[in-house]
Amino acid sequence: MIQDVNIHTHARVGHVSLDRPKALHALTLDMCHAMSAALSEWAGDEAVEAVVLDHAEGRGFCAGGDIGMLRDSALNDGGVSGRKFFHDEYQLNHQLFTYDKPVVAFMDGITMGGGVGIALPCKYRVATENTRFAMPETGIGLFPDVGGGWHLSRLQGRLGQFLALTGAQLDGAECLWAGIATHYIPSEKLAEAKARIIEHPGRIAGILSDLAETPPEARIAGNLDRIHRHFASDSFEDIIASLEADDGEWAAKELATLRGKSPQTCKVALRQLANAKDFTDFADNMRQEYRIASRVITRPDFAEGVRAVIVDKTGDPAWNPATPEGVSEELLDSIFAPLPEGEEWVPLTT
């Protein structure tokens, strides 16, 4: 056990509880390693039938990864420690995706970036009135990683592209409507849900269904037609042009949002999702994302985006390239290219 994650068993259920509340439970490398080790141990333990994944306290389920460490790596060690973090975090994402025993993720709070990466691979994903789901990486010059290419590209229509580009936040009701969550349960019932799962780990589906409630109306559903129409293209320039041609309030708002995002990240995300929707093996998706991550971490937009949004909080990132037209196909090709032999991402071996 490490300080930032509590790992234990209750009868026949393994329990991983993120416990880094001051950082909204953002994942560190040590946390990823501890979680992977526990999952590996429980995978071979017949006494453990299921796993519960939640957070100990506070507003976050998991707000992402250790962004401060990643920026420090980009600025000071050429991205070496950052690439190590991505590599091993992605192994945890893949381990959860391929896990033989049911895992229940309770997304009761902020679920962004790295939190999405550990929640969405789980068989059961519980949203509440506190859930705030987003992949906000276009705002910091990264990209929607941790399996985002796979998960977002499989949402209905062009919803995944919209979420990837805008970083829009979804509440719990919207997560259930979109298929991101499997159940919507009020937070006041979560303790009962966990207690009943511990008592009857073979009845998880029935327990969650019994406690689930009908959520409020999903607000984003009313904008689905606009999303499908304006975000139909895999060309970022086409999306911008489509929004510009619409004099409606919604289009103007989304256009303003996109103009504040990293053009490089937006173009990376569109290609990433276009490729990922055709993958049949989650490992292929993670291999693609590691290629991207290993390169964008040391490109100008990442350090600058984190500075503007998280470090200085000035909200004025100077993107480089500054325009969509400045992000060439050759640059994208270099970001997506295979890595040298021996440097590609590989799944965790047990």
Side-chain angles (χ1 to χ4, degrees), residues 153-204:
S153 67
R154 284 158 175 76
L155 297 179
Q156 57 182 301
R158 301 294 290 183
L159 181 60
Q161 286 75 10
F162 170 76
L163 295 175
L165 294 181
T166 65
Q169 291 188 27
L170 302 185
D171 63 23
E174 291 170 315
C175 285
L176 183 70
W177 168 83
I180 290 166
T182 58
H183 298 81
Y184 182 92
I185 299 177
S187 59
E188 63 189 23
K189 292 186 176 182
L190 296 189
E192 180 184 354
K194 295 170 193 177
R196 288 172 62 175
I197 288 170
I198 289 166
E199 188 176 357
H200 300 289
R203 302 180 187 172
I204 295 173

Side-chain angles (χ1 to χ4, degrees), residues 248-325:
E249 183 179 341
W250 184 89
K253 174 177 169 289
E254 300 307 332
L255 181 61
T257 295
L258 292 184
R259 283 179 168 154
K261 306 300 186 182
S262 160
Q264 171 192 283
T265 303
C266 290
K267 285 200 169 186
V268 164
L270 286 169
R271 182 184 287 203
Q272 172 198 358
L273 268 61
N275 292 346
K277 74 177 189 299
D278 294 326
F279 291 147
T280 57
D281 186 340
F282 190 66
D284 290 336
N285 179 80
M286 302 317 297
R287 192 171 297 110
Q288 169 176 265
E289 292 187 7
Y290 183 67
R291 291 171 180 175
I292 301 168
S294 68
R295 292 175 172 122
V296 300
I297 187 176
T298 54
R299 287 197 50 77
D301 276 8
F302 177 59
E304 170 63 4
V306 176
R307 176 207 66 76
V309 175
I310 297 173
V311 178
D312 297 340
K313 295 181 168 54
T314 54
D316 61 348
W319 302 123
N320 180 15
T323 65
E325 293 76 16

Side-chain angles (χ1 to χ4, degrees), residues 36-112:
S36 276
L39 290 169
S40 294
E41 179 182 343
W42 293 334
D45 186 348
E46 293 183 359
V48 176
E49 297 181 22
V51 176
V52 165
L53 175 59
D54 65 8
H55 70 285
E57 61 174 298
R59 295 187 301 116
F61 162 67
C62 177
D66 193 349
I67 291 295
M69 181 279 291
L70 293 171
R71 182 174 188 264
D72 184 70
S73 173
L75 294 174
N76 298 308
D77 71 8
V80 172
S81 56
R83 284 190 287 273
K84 171 65 174 172
F85 176 83
F86 285 128
H87 184 277
D88 294 4
E89 181 188 25
Y90 295 0
Q91 286 186 327
L92 172 61
N93 303 146
H94 180 267
Q95 184 180 19
L96 283 163
F97 190 92
T98 58
Y99 207 61
D100 283 339
K101 300 180 181 183
V103 184
V104 188
F106 288 93
M107 304 185 295
D108 181 37
I110 294 170
T111 304
M112 298 184 185

